[in-house]
Amino acid sequence: MRKGLLLGGSTVLAAAATWTAVAALNDGGTGALAPTRPPVPATADVTRQDLVETKTVAGSLTYAGERRIASGATGTVTWAPAQGTVIRRGRPLLKVDRKPLVLMYGKLPLYRTLERGVSDGPDVEQLERNLKALGHGAYLTVDDHFSHATEQAVKEWQDDRGLPESGRVDASQVVFQPAAVRVTGVQAELGARTAPGRQALTVSGMRRLVHVDLDTGDQALARKGAAVTVTLPGGERAEGTITSVGTVAESSGEEQDTSTTIDVDITLAEPPRTRLDQAPVEVEMQSERHEDVLAVPVEALLALREGGYGVEIVEGGASRIVAVETGAFGGGLVEVEGQGLAEGMKVGVPVS
């Protein structure tokens, strides 16, 4: 137990200032009953429970898995998606010389040209699985072998997408990504020249998450698996879990304004209603847990004339001031300890 305020101090001081006049009526904080004191506006119970101290930090609502996509074609960009566009399997990520660079699903990048005679491999199976999903290759068997049926399915797909019917697939035609992507940045501007390996787009996954650049001084707050509460734009509150904590500190700013932070990612229990990207949010992180302590509403605290804090114990038609030491603050409650203070007692609080 410690005297004074740890978190939420401004709230406590405001409440205490409101009640200072009441505390001043006490004869030195002796705890004697004072039946002639003006009636207490309202009362609240002294409870015994666990309290969790929290700290609120700034974060942003974004999307998981941001990554870059390079162009595999040489030519002029004739179409590019707008930022925020969601692109799914079979749809173009970009068009170069009016030919589409198409998204297909898979974890393995297209590192070689796929055509008849290529050695068997998981990249062939990945391509065949996509061709089937897109409705091509009625007689195609999905395996790791590039067969005549695979070649025919590729030609069907190329005809459907307006590509030359070569029966071969290379990086100028297809980009593999694990799932649908959301465009977060466009580097290949309309009319610009592009070439293999040149960055074209920045994309992310579809899963929403909250990102926090956490000051290294607060890194003890970031424990993987810990629960947090996030206040979203518009006041919506959502529960979340810390799913990733960075291990490399990053510095930003200049000279005296330099700050050092670590990356913390939070997964929300339910998708937020807002579709805003990079929207500012507030994250309430747990600092310390105090178990089985006496607690009263924060507004029950009184600023004593002799210093420190007290609470007004109400017993029948009488009341008395008891000096207390404060501990954890959380959920509108404060941990208190004072002579004779017990669970179930009534304390005075201002009318809300």
Side-chain angles (χ1 to χ4, degrees):
M1 184 70 68
R2 53 202 178 281
K3 293 183 179 180
L5 308 183
L6 295 179
L7 299 172
S10 59
T11 303
V12 175
L13 289 175
T18 304
W19 281 72
T20 300
V22 177
L25 296 174
N26 180 50
D27 294 330
T30 61
L33 292 176
T36 59
R37 189 184 312 283
V40 175
T43 61
D45 291 335
V46 178
T47 59
R48 183 172 291 280
Q49 62 186 82
D50 295 348
L51 280 185
V52 179
E53 285 188 327
T54 60
K55 181 171 183 177
T56 300
V57 298
S60 59
L61 179 63
T62 184
Y63 289 83
E66 188 167 88
R67 51 205 181 267
R68 298 174 180 178
I69 290 180
S71 169
T74 299
T76 301
V77 177
T78 52
W79 178 85
Q83 187 171 340
T85 301
V86 174
I87 300 175
R88 305 185 188 278
R89 175 163 42 200
R91 306 304 300 170
L93 291 158
L94 196 71
K95 289 185 180 180
V96 178
D97 293 344
R98 299 182 63 189
K99 297 181 180 66
L101 178 63
V102 177
L103 174 66
M104 289 190 180
Y105 293 170
K107 295 182 179 180
L108 189 62
L110 184 53
Y111 64 93
R112 60 177 179 167
T113 299
L114 298 179
E115 58 186 336
R116 286 289 296 275
V118 72
S119 59
D120 295 351
D123 51 346
V124 175
E125 181 179 353
Q126 183 173 266
L127 172 65
E128 291 177 339
R129 197 173 302 281
N130 278 273
L131 292 169
K132 275 285 195 181
L134 293 170
H136 303 291
Y139 303 102
L140 175 64
T141 299
V142 176
D143 54 22
D144 61 1
H145 179 65
F146 198 109
S147 64
H148 174 72
T150 308
E151 183 180 55
Q152 293 306 306
V154 168
K155 288 181 177 180
E156 287 179 19
W157 168 75
Q158 289 172 328
D159 179 58
D160 183 56
R161 299 309 305 166
L163 292 165
E165 297 176 43
S166 63
R168 59 197 296 271
V169 175
D170 60 29
S172 69
Q173 303 168 24
V174 169
V175 169
F176 285 106
Q177 290 288 305
V181 298
R182 183 179 185 276
V183 178
T184 59
V186 180
Q187 291 75 45
E189 297 180 356
L190 190 66
R193 294 287 295 176
T194 189
R198 185 170 297 174
Q199 185 176 340
L201 303 172
T202 305
V203 301
S204 70
M206 300 297 294
R207 181 172 59 87
R208 306 303 301 272
L209 61 75
V210 171
H211 179 80
V212 175
D213 291 321
L214 186 67
D215 191 283
T216 51
D218 292 326
Q219 61 183 317
L221 299 174
R223 301 181 304 278
K224 189 173 181 179
V228 300
T229 301
V230 180
T231 302
L232 299 164
E236 178 188 358
R237 288 174 66 82
E239 300 304 313
T241 303
I242 296 176
T243 50
S244 174
V245 179
T247 57
V248 178
E250 299 178 358
S251 297
S252 60
E254 297 180 358
E255 298 180 356
Q256 295 181 350
D257 294 330
T258 299
S259 62
T260 306
T261 61
I262 57 173
D263 292 331
V264 176
D265 288 337
I266 297 162
T267 297
L268 299 175
E270 298 290 340
R273 289 192 293 268
T274 179
R275 294 182 178 272
L276 294 175
D277 189 15
Q278 300 298 325
V281 300
E282 292 184 344
V283 181
E284 191 176 278
M285 308 179 82
Q286 295 185 3
S287 171
E288 188 176 354
R289 176 178 289 274
H290 293 230
E291 298 182 348
D292 195 32
V293 297
L294 293 177
V296 299
V298 170
E299 58 267 27
L301 287 180
L302 311 175
L304 299 180
R305 181 170 52 192
E306 61 271 26
Y309 296 94
V311 293
E312 184 171 11
I313 302 298
V314 180
E315 298 172 327
S319 65
R320 57 191 171 94
I321 302 297
V322 173
V324 297
E325 293 183 2
T326 60
F329 288 79
L333 300 175
V334 56
E335 175 189 355
V336 290
E337 185 177 293
Q339 186 175 2
L341 201 61
E343 181 181 6
M345 286 182 168
K346 300 287 186 181
V347 293
V349 293
V351 176
S352 58

